Amino acid sequence: MIDTQKTPSGESGPGVPPRKSMIYVVDDDYDVRTSLRFLLETEGFDVRTFRSGVALLGSATRNHADCLVVDYKMADLDGLELAQRLRRLEVSTPIILITGYPDEKITAKASSAGVLEVLLKPNLESNLVDCVRNAIDKSPAAPRL
């Protein structure tokens, strides 16, 4: 029996591995970026990291992710401002905002900025992976892992 899988364009072919979902992580804390990258790669995602919102905005590939994981508090611009700028640039990729600074109005602010979900640090592990998978499943894009 030949193992047939779909290509990113939706075509079937023998032995063609499915495309892994690409997750962009934006956080100005090196240790957090590294930890999130490890967690998401362990779960089977491809991951690219950015040390700031400005770095992501300046990237020619800013629209190539299947999901964005963005820190709220960053030195150059915060995660909400980054989300707003991405939406103005017509980047429709689902955004998950992570924060260690809970605020009673953060969910409403995040929603109005185009953020799909807000998660609290430091215990992100299973919640983050579930949120990323759900965001990708709801997003109308190419087939993924």
Side-chain angles (χ1 to χ4, degrees):
M1 181 169 171
I2 297 175
D3 181 25
T4 303
Q5 299 185 18
K6 295 197 183 243
T7 64
S9 65
E11 299 171 10
S12 294
V16 176
R19 180 179 75 83
K20 289 184 178 183
S21 296
M22 174 60 75
I23 312 304
Y24 287 179
V25 174
V26 185
D27 199 308
D28 59 355
D29 183 312
Y30 174 81
D31 292 333
V32 173
R33 275 196 322 272
T34 303
S35 176
L36 292 176
R37 177 182 208 134
F38 177 77
L39 169 68
L40 293 166
E41 286 179 341
T42 300
E43 292 294 325
F45 298 106
D46 280 335
V47 179
R48 183 167 177 203
T49 61
F50 296 85
R51 69 176 185 263
S52 69
V54 171
L56 175 63
L57 289 170
S59 170
T61 63
R62 69 175 172 251
N63 206 15
H64 296 166
D66 296 304
C67 185
L68 299 168
V69 176
V70 177
D71 187 30
Y72 176 42
K73 295 284 187 180
M74 293 186 285
D76 59 353
L77 74 154
D78 70 34
L80 294 178
E81 178 63 23
L82 175 59
Q84 291 168 340
R85 288 187 187 187
L86 289 167
R87 296 307 184 227
R88 283 194 300 262
L89 293 168
E90 299 182 3
V91 175
S92 61
T93 306
I95 300 171
I96 298 170
L97 186 74
I98 57 174
T99 183
Y101 303 91
D103 167 328
E104 61 190 43
K105 296 180 183 179
I106 189 71
T107 303
K109 291 178 190 175
S111 179
S112 69
V115 171
L116 179 68
E117 188 81 40
V118 177
L119 295 176
L120 297 177
K121 293 179 188 176
N123 301 317
L124 295 172
E125 289 81 16
S126 64
N127 287 337
L128 178 61
V129 172
D130 290 343
C131 282
V132 167
R133 285 193 176 122
N134 288 337
I136 291 169
D137 288 344
K138 292 177 185 176
S139 180
R144 300 173 187 94
L145 177 67

